[in-house]
C-alpha cells in the first residue's frame, strides 16, 4: 500500500459480509434494501437466488460489500443444488463477517443446519427479518435469548427488509466488524456483476413470477448476445427448459406468455440500465441441464 492509499484508509473501513440463511427468509430483499437499488432478483417462491450476487454500499466512513448467497439446499442433490451449496460455503470462507438471516417467529431445523455451517472464526450478526409481520414483537424475546446463549453472535438485529425498518441499525452493528482499509470499489459501484449477468437474472425473475409454482425450477436463462450501441442495449436471450412440454408452457397460447415475460423484463432492464433496451427471447430444450456440469458452467454456476 502506498502513502496515498494509507492516508485514504485512515479511519475508513471496508469489508465483505456474506448474507446467508435458508431459502425464502428475504436475503435478496435485504441486499437490495441495503444498497438502495435492485441487483438481486426476488419472488415469493423459495430458492429464487441461484448465484452469488455482490452488492456494494459506500458511505462516508465505510464501504460494505454484501454477498447475497443462494439459500442452502438440504433436500435435493442435483448438480445445480450442489453448485449452489458450494457457492454458500465459498462465500463463508472469504468474508469479514456473516449476516445470518432468519424469519421472525420461525426457527426451523433448516435454520439450524445453516447455523451449523457458520465459521467459528468469523463474527456473525443474527438478522431477524420480517418483524413487520409479527403482531406481538415480544414473542421474539424467548427465541432471541435462547439463540444468544447458544451462539455468540456479534449482534442481534430485528428488522424488516421489506419496509426498511431498523436497516440502518444493521449497518451500525456491522461497521466495527469491517477492517480498517481503503475502499475496494469505486464510490458509485453497486455490484461487481456484469450487465450480461444482470440481464439473465432479471429475465429469470419474470419466469418465477409469471409461471406456475414448479416450472421455474426447471428453467435457466442464457444470454447468447449482448450488444451496446450508444445508449441502446440489444439483448438476445434463450430460456433453457428440460422438456418440450415445458417449452409450450413458457411460450403460452399464441405466444402470449413469452411476450409478457419479455415485455416485463424489458421494462425492468431499462430502469436498471437507465436507457432503451431491445430484448429478444426464445425457448430451447436441453434435457437434463440441471444435472449436467458442463451445461451449468456455461450458465454461470461455479
Amino acid at each position: 500500500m502506498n502513502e496515498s492509499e494509507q492516508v485514504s484508509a485512515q479511519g475508513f473501513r471496508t469489508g465483505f459480509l456474506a448474507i446467508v440463511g435458508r431459502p425464502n427468509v428475504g436475503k435478496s430483499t435485504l441486499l437490495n434494501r441495503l444498497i438502495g437499488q435492485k441487483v438481486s432478483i426476488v419472488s415469493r417462491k423459495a430458492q429464487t437466488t441461484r448465484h452469488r450476487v455482490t452488492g456494494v454500499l459506500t458511505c462516508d466512513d465505510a464501504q460494505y460489500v454484501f454477498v447475497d448467497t443462494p439459500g442452502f439446499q438440504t433436500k435435493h442433490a442435483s448438480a445445480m443444488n450442489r453448485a449452489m451449496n458450494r457457492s454458500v460455503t465459498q462465500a463463508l470462507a472469504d468474508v469479514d463477517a456473516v449476516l445470518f438471516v432468519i424469519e421472525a417467529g420461525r426457527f426451523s431445523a433448516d435454520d439450524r443446519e445453516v447455523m451449523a455451517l457458520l465459521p467459528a472464526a468469523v463474527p456473525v450478526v443474527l438478522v431477524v427479518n420480517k418483524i413487520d409481520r409479527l403482531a406481538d414483537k415480544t414473542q421474539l424475546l424467548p427465541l432471541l435469548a435462547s439463540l444468544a446463549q447458544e451462539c455468540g453472535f456479534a449482534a442481534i438485529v430485528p428488522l424488516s427488509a421489506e419496509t426498511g425498518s431498523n436497516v440502518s441499525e444493521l449497518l451500525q452493528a456491522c461497521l466495527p466488524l469491517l477492517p480498517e482499509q481503503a475502499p475496494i470499489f469505486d464510490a458509485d459501484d453497486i455490484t461487481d456483476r456484469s450487465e450480461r449477468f444482470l440481464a439473465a437474472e432479471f429475465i429469470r425473475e419474470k419466469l418465477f413470477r409469471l409461471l406456475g409454482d414448479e416450472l421455474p425450477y426447471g428453467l435457466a436463462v442464457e444470454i447468447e448476445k449482448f450488444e451496446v450501441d450508444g445508449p441502446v442495449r440489444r439483448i438476445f436471450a434463450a430460456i433453457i427448459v428440460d422438456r418440450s412440454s415445458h417449452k409450450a408452457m413458457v411460450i403460452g397460447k399464441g405466444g402470449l406468455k413469452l411476450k409478457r415475460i419479455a415485455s416485463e423484463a424489458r421494462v425492468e432492464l431499462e430502469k436498471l440500465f437507465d436507457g432503451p433496451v431491445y430484448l429478444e427471447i426464445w425457448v430451447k430444450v436441453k434435457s437434463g441441464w440441471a444435472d449436467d456440469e458442463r451445461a451449468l458452467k456455461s450458465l454461470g454456476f461455479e
Side-chain angles (χ1 to χ4, degrees):
M1 182 183 286
N2 63 38
E3 191 177 337
S4 64
E5 285 175 319
Q6 285 176 341
V7 171
S8 64
Q10 198 170 29
F12 195 89
R13 293 179 179 272
T14 297
F16 287 80
L17 305 103
I19 305 175
V20 302
R22 65 172 167 78
N24 219 27
V25 291
K27 298 182 296 297
S28 297
T29 302
L30 178 60
L31 173 66
N32 294 337
R33 174 67 67 178
L34 284 163
I35 67 168
Q37 189 166 334
K38 181 176 174 180
V39 293
S40 191
I41 64 171
V42 294
S43 83
R44 294 185 183 278
K45 297 183 176 77
Q47 300 175 20
T48 307
T49 302
R50 288 178 179 170
H51 306 271
R52 277 188 291 176
V53 178
T54 299
V56 182
L57 172 67
T58 304
C59 305
D60 291 340
D61 54 355
Q63 186 173 84
Y64 302 82
V65 186
F66 298 103
V67 185
D68 183 23
T69 62
F72 195 80
Q73 312 296 308
T74 59
K75 295 184 172 57
H76 306 289
S78 70
M80 181 176 73
N81 284 341
R82 288 195 298 274
M84 288 159 70
N85 284 350
R86 278 198 304 274
S87 182
V88 179
T89 53
Q90 284 165 6
L92 289 173
D94 299 331
V95 295
D96 300 294
V98 173
L99 308 185
F100 173 39
V101 185
I102 65 171
E103 194 174 336
R106 182 182 168 199
F107 189 78
S108 67
D110 288 342
D111 291 301
R112 198 164 287 284
E113 281 195 53
V114 178
M115 193 162 77
L117 295 171
L118 301 178
V122 177
V124 177
V125 176
L126 178 64
V127 179
V128 186
N129 192 22
K130 305 186 184 180
I131 59 168
D132 53 308
R133 300 185 186 181
L134 276 187
D136 181 7
K137 308 279 189 298
T138 60
Q139 292 174 359
L140 280 175
L141 297 177
L143 171 64
L144 298 186
S146 167
L147 289 173
Q149 279 194 329
E150 190 176 337
C151 189
F153 295 112
I156 298 176
V157 183
L159 54 75
S160 168
E162 190 68 40
T163 67
S165 173
N166 270 16
V167 168
S168 58
E169 282 81 353
L170 176 60
L171 291 173
Q172 285 304 308
C174 292
L175 182 61
L177 307 178
L178 306 180
E180 192 168 299
Q181 60 180 339
I184 297 167
F185 295 94
D186 291 340
D188 56 354
D189 285 345
I190 58 166
T191 184
D192 65 346
R193 286 296 197 170
S194 68
E195 290 190 351
R196 190 184 189 103
F197 171 85
L198 293 171
E201 286 290 276
F202 275 50
I203 295 166
R204 194 166 62 81
E205 180 187 66
K206 297 309 166 194
L207 300 178
F208 268 83
R209 292 189 173 213
L210 297 175
L211 297 174
D213 284 346
E214 294 302 321
L215 186 55
Y217 297 102
L219 306 179
V221 176
E222 185 172 24
I223 304 299
E224 299 204 348
K225 197 189 291 185
F226 190 108
E227 300 173 339
V228 180
D229 182 9
V232 181
R233 285 159 178 83
R234 292 187 176 85
I235 303 168
F236 302 83
I239 297 171
I240 310 299
V241 300
D242 196 53
R243 301 175 193 165
S244 296
S245 58
H246 292 170
K247 180 176 180 177
M249 292 164 75
V250 174
I251 293 172
K253 190 174 181 183
L256 289 179
K257 182 68 75 177
L258 187 59
K259 281 179 189 169
R260 186 179 173 192
I261 290 165
S263 174
E264 294 196 12
R266 182 182 54 76
V267 169
E268 288 240 17
L269 289 170
E270 288 186 333
K271 279 187 207 165
L272 177 69
F273 299 141
D274 195 24
V277 170
Y278 170 82
L279 178 61
E280 192 173 317
I281 303 179
W282 56 93
V283 186
K284 279 185 178 179
V285 179
K286 282 188 184 177
S287 298
W289 69 265
D291 258 321
D292 182 339
E293 299 279 2
R294 247 166 129 195
L296 290 170
K297 212 159 212 181
S298 74
L299 292 167
F301 287 91
E302 297 169 5

